[in-house]
Amino acid sequence: MSTVFGPKKEKIRAIDGVSFYVCRGEMVGIVGESGCGKSVTSQSIMRLYDEKEEVSYSGTVRFEGENLMEIPYKEMDKIRGNRIAMIFQDALSSLNPVYTVGNQVVEAICIHQNVEKKEAWQKAVEMLMKVGISEPEKRMRQYPHELSGGMRQRVMIAIALCCKPDLLIADEPTTALDVTVQAQIMDLIQQLKEEENMGVILITHDMAVVAENCDRVIVMYLGQMVEEASVTDIFEHPLHPYTVGLIQSIPQMTTDSEQELFMIKGSLPLLTQIKKGCRFASRCPYATDKCREEEPELQKTGENHSVRCHFPRFGE
Ligand SMILES: Nc1ncnc2c1ncn2[C@@H]1O[C@H](COP(=O)(O)OP(=O)(O)OP(=O)(O)O)[C@@H](O)[C@H]1O
Ligand code: SF4
Ligand SMILES: [Mg+2]
């Protein structure tokens, strides 16, 4: 799948040839630094740009046999928030400040389940209990700003799950929260994933969160996938120099001060300044002339491991 923004003259190819799958009951992490295309990937799956942006997609997003890139936009409404749900980093701006929490959960239930208001209210209370909100009846009557950040995120999760989605896309769901609450929210997503047997795409820039929660990982750099593998393989045998750098910049994993020197140097180039060759070459300690000339392809190195690099770091 590729997503290109803008009118003909100033096209920005925000993601380029991204291709992956998610199974039921599985959590797939998408990692990479700010601006690498994590959100564009998830929002393209949901076709959230169609109405607001000049955008064109290519490639396919298969969801239970259907290509989401080809179905009419109106049909997407039935899938979005129904069979695929999404939660974002910032629960405060996703919730409507002028309605009570109860109102918003009840509305979500009424949209997705054929029930009367009174029954929906009862279901909303149960839903809030399920996501670990204490005194749910009291919370239902409160407004979003009266709740803590962690609690608001729990409400967002409750709303997302009202429709019993097959796939949940969580875009930095815990970034705005402190570390303890972060762990609680991830535990909750993990538990609900198992109970509902849904697939989860977890978008994060935090490799430690990936290590603890995901089954598989996709590492993105400047709009492309540069590595894909199981969590065990990524952490035990990272092959792409960028992945190696990401892992070594997790504070707890760096015990040797020498290693810290490997921290990824430089910053992400602009999408409009992409040169020929490997996109990581300007920051890669192993770059050669070949890297600067020829763009590497994503190639399989094992049954479930792929990397986009001319000189993968085997045996390190
Ligand atoms: N609507 C848009 N129009 C044009 N370019 C866009 C649009 N949305 C995103 N981009 C560009 O696409 C690239 C990827 O953005 P994206 O939001 O996916 O990054 P990200 O990996 O989610 O970063 P972050 O960690 O900061 O959320 C960026 O260079 C961004 O400027
Ligand atoms: S292809 Fe070359 S520049 Fe790119 S990541 Fe691999 S070694 Fe580094
Ligand atoms: Mg983002």
Side-chain angles (χ1 to χ4, degrees):
M1 169 181 58
S2 300
T3 300
V4 181
F5 293 109
K8 264 191 187 129
K9 278 198 174 150
E10 317 135 39
K11 280 196 186 309
I12 296 179
R13 185 171 286 269
I15 56 165
D16 192 6
V18 174
S19 170
F20 63 96
Y21 64 93
V22 185
C23 302
R24 274 185 179 277
E26 183 186 42
M27 192 177 299
V28 176
I30 303 186
V31 287
E33 66 206 301
S34 187
C36 69
K38 305 182 294 294
S39 295
V40 173
T41 302
S42 61
Q43 305 214 18
S44 301
I45 295 173
M46 298 285 263
R47 303 239 318 252
L48 290 183
Y49 299 112
D50 290 36
E51 278 187 332
K52 290 177 273 170
E53 311 272 348
E54 200 160 330
V55 64
S56 63
Y57 309 103
S58 53
T60 51
V61 174
R62 285 212 175 278
F63 178 67
E64 311 226 306
E66 245 175 329
N67 180 5
L68 300 188
M69 294 287 129
E70 275 175 356
I71 63 175
Y73 184 67
K74 276 235 162 321
E75 290 284 307
M76 261 321 275
D77 280 342
K78 290 191 203 145
I79 290 178
R80 205 181 300 121
N82 236 336
R83 291 163 65 199
I84 308 180
M86 203 162 172
I87 45 176
F88 299 93
Q89 169 179 344
D90 184 2
L92 192 57
S93 64
S94 307
L95 288 166
N96 191 330
V98 302
Y99 292 109
T100 60
V101 166
N103 250 316
Q104 299 182 58
V105 185
V106 166
E107 195 194 330
I109 292 175
C110 288
I111 293 173
H112 299 294
Q113 301 175 25
N114 194 13
V115 290
E116 295 289 316
K117 261 249 157 86
K118 207 168 159 199
E119 198 185 338
W121 186 267
Q122 199 44 48
K123 279 183 182 272
V125 172
E126 284 164 22
M127 210 61 208
L128 292 188
M129 263 183 346
K130 190 169 183 173
V131 298
I133 291 184
S134 57
E135 300 182 274
E137 267 139 6
K138 179 178 154 197
R139 301 298 178 202
M140 295 271 284
R141 286 187 287 275
Q142 291 183 316
Y143 289 88
H145 73 268
E146 296 177 83
L147 270 55
S148 68
M151 239 187 266
R152 283 196 291 263
Q153 198 56 287
R154 286 176 194 267
V155 172
M156 286 311 300
I157 295 172
I159 290 175
L161 296 182
C162 283
C163 60
K164 298 202 176 300
D166 299 312
L167 176 66
L168 175 71
I169 304 178
D171 192 347
E172 307 264 9
T174 59
T175 307
L177 307 172
D178 69 51
V179 180
T180 339
V181 183
Q182 237 180 47
Q184 291 166 358
I185 296 287
M186 281 318 303
D187 285 349
L188 172 67
I189 296 178
Q190 198 66 261
Q191 172 206 333
L192 295 168
K193 179 202 85 175
E194 271 151 40
E195 279 173 23
E196 310 291 338
N197 193 28
M198 55 183 184
V200 179
I201 298 178
L202 176 72
I203 294 176
T204 177
H205 58 265
D206 189 338
M207 284 301 265
V209 169
V210 167
E212 274 166 33
N213 294 285
C214 295
D215 302 296
R216 272 188 306 120
V217 197
I218 287 151
V219 182
M220 288 191 67
Y221 186 79
L222 214 58
Q224 291 181 327
M225 286 169 64
V226 294
E227 188 157 4
E228 178 185 11
S230 68
V231 163
T232 324
D233 278 350
I234 280 279
F235 285 94
E236 288 181 5
H237 315 285
L239 295 178
H240 198 283
Y242 180 61
T243 315
V244 174
L246 284 181
I247 293 171
Q248 290 184 350
S249 38
I250 304 176
Q252 313 88 291
M253 294 204 176
T254 314
T255 46
D256 183 345
S257 60
E258 286 276 300
Q259 278 193 348
E260 279 190 53
L261 295 176
F262 191 85
M263 296 250 298
I264 307 159
K265 291 193 221 101
S267 53
L268 202 68
L270 292 174
L271 279 169
T272 44
Q273 293 174 343
I274 292 172
K275 298 193 185 114
K276 65 179 175 183
C278 171
R279 294 185 180 192
F280 189 56
S282 63
R283 300 169 75 189
C284 181
Y286 311 106
T288 64
D289 287 345
K290 178 176 176 170
C291 303
R292 284 178 279 269
E293 285 299 317
E294 277 174 44
E295 182 170 8
E297 299 275 332
L298 192 69
Q299 52 182 329
K300 260 177 137 30
T301 56
E303 201 182 333
N304 290 308
H305 203 151
S306 307
V307 65
R308 187 190 293 277
C309 175
H310 291 307
F311 307 105
R313 315 309 303 159
F314 290 114
E316 280 193 8

